[in-house]
Amino acid sequence: MKVYLIGAGPGDPELITVKGKRIIESSGYCIYAGSLVNKDILNYCSDSTKIYDSASMTLDEIIKVMEEAKVKDVDVARVHTGDPSIYGAIQEQMAELDKRNIDYEVVPGVSSFLAAASALKQELTLPGVSQTIIITRIEGRTPVPETEKLEALSKTKATLCIFLSVKEIKRVAGILKPAYGADCKVAIVYKASWKDEKIIISDLANVAEATIQGGINKTAMIVVGDVLSRNFEYSKLYDKHFKHSYREES
Ligand code: SAH
């Protein structure tokens, strides 16, 4: 018996890994994060799978179901949105499973910031512009350490993928403006890879208004950075004058 902490991907049920799908198909229990995981993923469950929506459950209740599965000796598919390691609250589950000697494994998933980049047809690391991606959020009920506040991060001018913050877009834009400039492009990607995906392209000066007018106040990725301007150098990787171990100069 094992608990599998599985990344469901960002929404499109085809964006789960082959491994994640196979485990869901063969698990006796499926506990999914109903607030964000696409319910179509549940079609991979067998008819006999016991299904729980963790949105209305406490950690204790979730662990109790896992203990029950251990007694019955059947696997549990614990399905998280995107990749479980990003704002997934999985460490506490694993700590509780350790205490109970319940075996577990993490199966990665496609994070929503990657689905947002795909939706935008955007490379996040453009030569001569930015070679760093910062995954972050503005503080909400969960605090953000002082050294990681948006204002501090903005000094890097790296590509920012801001989770869990679209409700605070006005505050986010205000904090970023001094370092990135009011005309720095911003993309808001609502429900990347879902059928009702929506994209707003704006700049730091206007993004708050555009987002509010677009009616977007949840399930969105904020992408900020000069990469969005696509004013970049071509990479060395495919440059015909550049030799590397896989290709001699042509
Ligand atoms: N583990 C998840 C993130 C969970 S936190 C992952 O790797 O994607 C929830 C936040 O993720 C949301 O507030 C939103 O900012 C972002 N998010 C989740 N799914 C999304 C999607 N399909 N499109 C855009 N943003 C999404």
Side-chain angles (χ1 to χ4, degrees), residues 58-123:
T58 62
L59 177 61
D60 284 351
E61 288 167 341
I62 292 167
I63 300 297
K64 219 170 241 161
V65 172
M66 292 171 175
E67 285 178 314
E68 186 185 304
K70 190 183 178 183
V71 171
K72 292 191 180 155
D73 196 24
V74 289
D75 290 339
V76 178
R78 171 66 176 114
V79 185
H80 289 265
T81 180
D83 181 88
S85 71
I86 302 176
Y87 307 117
I90 58 167
Q91 209 67 55
E92 59 206 42
Q93 293 178 66
M94 295 189 285
E96 291 301 319
L97 293 174
D98 281 337
K99 284 186 204 163
R100 291 162 178 80
N101 257 322
I102 298 178
D103 197 12
Y104 56 85
E105 183 177 329
V106 182
V107 180
V110 176
S111 179
S112 55
F113 81 96
L114 299 170
S118 303
L120 295 167
K121 300 186 171 69
Q122 179 68 53
E123 181 172 341

Side-chain angles (χ1 to χ4, degrees), residues 120 186-190 198-202 207 210-216:
L120 295 167
V186 184
I188 305 287
V189 186
Y190 169 73
K198 212 158 137 182
I199 295 174
I200 292 176
I201 306 282
S202 186
V207 69
T211 307
I212 292 161
Q213 266 180 11
I216 298 174

Side-chain angles (χ1 to χ4, degrees), residues 6-28:
I6 301 169
D12 179 346
E14 289 195 331
L15 287 177
I16 191 169
T17 62
V18 174
K19 183 168 182 170
K21 176 174 177 277
R22 176 178 57 71
I23 293 166
I24 291 174
E25 284 165 349
S26 64
S27 290

Side-chain angles (χ1 to χ4, degrees), residues 10 36 81-83 86 111-112 163-164 189 191-192 194 219-221:
L36 278 173
T81 180
D83 181 88
I86 302 176
S111 179
S112 55
F163 287 64
L164 294 157
V189 186
K191 289 184 97 175
W194 290 69
T219 327
M221 186 61 51

Side-chain angles (χ1 to χ4, degrees), residues 172-188:
V172 169
I175 296 169
L176 297 179
K177 243 185 269 173
Y180 283 80
D183 59 350
C184 178
K185 278 197 172 178
V186 184
I188 305 287

